[in-house]
Amino acid sequence: MTRQLTISPWTLGTLALPFALATSLGTACNGTSDLENKTFEATSSTTSSAGGTGGAPGTGGAGGSGGAASPCGECDGTCVQGHCCRTGSGFLVNASPGGTEALTATFAQLDGKGPLEAVFINQLGEDVRTYTLDADGPKATLLQALETGRGPTTPSVGDVDGDGNVDLVVTMGETIQLEAIDEIRIYKGKGGGLFDGTPSVFPQSGKPMGSILPDLDGDGDLDLVFGTVDCKFGVRWNDGKGTFGERVCLEDAGGPSIAVVHGGHGKKDAILRQDEFSLFIVSWLDGTKVKVTRVDTGTETVAGGGVADIDGDGDDDILVLTKSTSTHPDVVFTYLRTNETDVAQCDTYPTPPGLSTLAAARLGDFDGDRIPDWLAMDRFNEDKPADSPDYFRSVNYLMRGVK
């Protein structure tokens, strides 16, 4: 039986947005010029929210006379599930040259150590580009460009064959001329965050779109989940050696799957799905949907989402970027998870105005500091003629959260 859990709505206080972009981003065009061989430093400064001298600890606070210590210790915000929820300073913005007509991006652990890397798919560029990210910069440095041909969609990264190296999976739906490709490509990992340039290819009808690699059945192998025009949520089960069975359609409803949610579900992974402007955590057991938890954002609408373990309890928490037209626009919120049922709104990180209009925001924590970060791109340079190559030159963005 499918059960739906809706968390009670929460109310937001007034938010201060203390940041301004030093350069104008615009709402749809990338006005950044002369991008060749450049990596840009932060284009916005970080300024702590105004505050006076803190008062003495109250009853039940850390060290309060006669009171029990707060589970958060000293906390200048709200204590939720043992985590001190604060309004953060915001984000450092790093813009760097991208590919041609960027489509999507994701964080991934490519080399098995240190900060996460970034993976960008480019449509007209016909490639997948991977970048190392400098936690102290932050700077994005091109690691590898893999030719894919036109038609790739959201990539996924994981060790599908159990050899200790992560592999890259790309679904191919149709060419830019709308001709069907109908196949899935796996670029075998070579170690050190690099991939073999010649993929293994197997057919998949229905214009496969997107891909994620959860352990959906808890057997220790990463399964391949993706959508097609005739099946919104399909899976190809992994035999443990990187060979996938025929697609099984589990559901023909709902929005795209955007992230794997680890923790709180035994050995099985859950899925973060976006349906219109809402997010849902979906759990499956032996091919049957057993739980749907709505991430209740109240009156806020979702521009992008992702996962990261923000409170350090081993369970992935949910990250949400609000749309520019939302009640509180251009804000990243964290939602803490504990086990399977609890989803509680926590931290607040305002972004420089206008950034939520960038394309395909994907959130995570690339540097492991338990502060949200996110990737996005400006696909087109509308300062250039629409029939010129420069029009399709994209700019990649890395937004690094600051406490």
Side-chain angles (χ1 to χ4, degrees), residues 183-324:
E183 63 188 30
I184 296 172
R185 300 179 182 180
I186 300 178
Y187 295 83
K188 183 175 175 58
K190 300 195 298 183
L194 300 176
F195 302 96
D196 192 327
T198 302
S200 299
V201 179
F202 54 96
Q204 174 57 61
S205 62
K207 298 180 181 179
M209 299 167 286
S211 64
I212 58 173
L213 293 169
D215 183 0
L216 203 60
D217 52 7
D219 65 354
D221 305 320
L222 298 180
D223 306 303
L224 177 57
V225 170
F226 57 96
T228 61
V229 293
D230 60 342
C231 176
K232 299 295 185 182
F233 192 88
V235 60
R236 298 183 74 146
W237 302 107
N238 191 346
D239 67 356
K241 299 179 182 178
T243 301
F244 297 93
E246 291 298 317
R247 186 202 66 183
V248 177
C249 186
L250 298 181
E251 186 178 15
D252 190 22
S257 304
I258 63 173
V260 179
V261 183
H262 302 290
H265 299 269
K267 295 181 179 180
K268 303 174 183 65
D269 294 327
I271 308 296
L272 182 65
R273 303 182 71 182
Q274 183 168 347
D275 196 352
E276 295 297 330
F277 302 128
S278 298
L279 292 174
F280 299 85
I281 306 169
V282 186
S283 303
W284 298 79
L285 178 63
D286 300 327
T288 301
K289 185 166 59 178
V290 294
K291 186 183 294 293
V292 178
T293 303
R294 181 171 181 263
V295 181
D296 196 326
T297 59
T299 59
E300 310 298 328
T301 52
V302 176
V307 301
D309 184 6
I310 295 298
D311 55 6
D313 66 354
D315 296 342
D316 276 337
D317 304 303
I318 309 303
L319 309 177
V320 174
L321 170 68
T322 62
K323 292 179 68 66
S324 59

Side-chain angles (χ1 to χ4, degrees), residues 61 64 74 78 83 93 101 115 119 121-122 140 142 148-149 211 213 218 222 257 288 306 319-320 375 395 401:
E74 294 186 9
T78 303
H83 177 75
V93 183
E101 194 184 15
V119 182
I121 287 279
N122 301 289
L142 182 64
T148 60
S211 64
L213 293 169
L222 298 180
S257 304
T288 301
L319 309 177
V320 174
L375 298 168
V395 178

Side-chain angles (χ1 to χ4, degrees), residues 100-124:
T100 307
E101 194 184 15
L103 291 181
T104 60
T106 188
F107 288 113
Q109 181 55 268
L110 300 184
D111 58 6
K113 61 183 179 180
L116 301 180
E117 285 76 42
V119 182
F120 284 84
I121 287 279
N122 301 289
Q123 165 74 306
L124 275 179

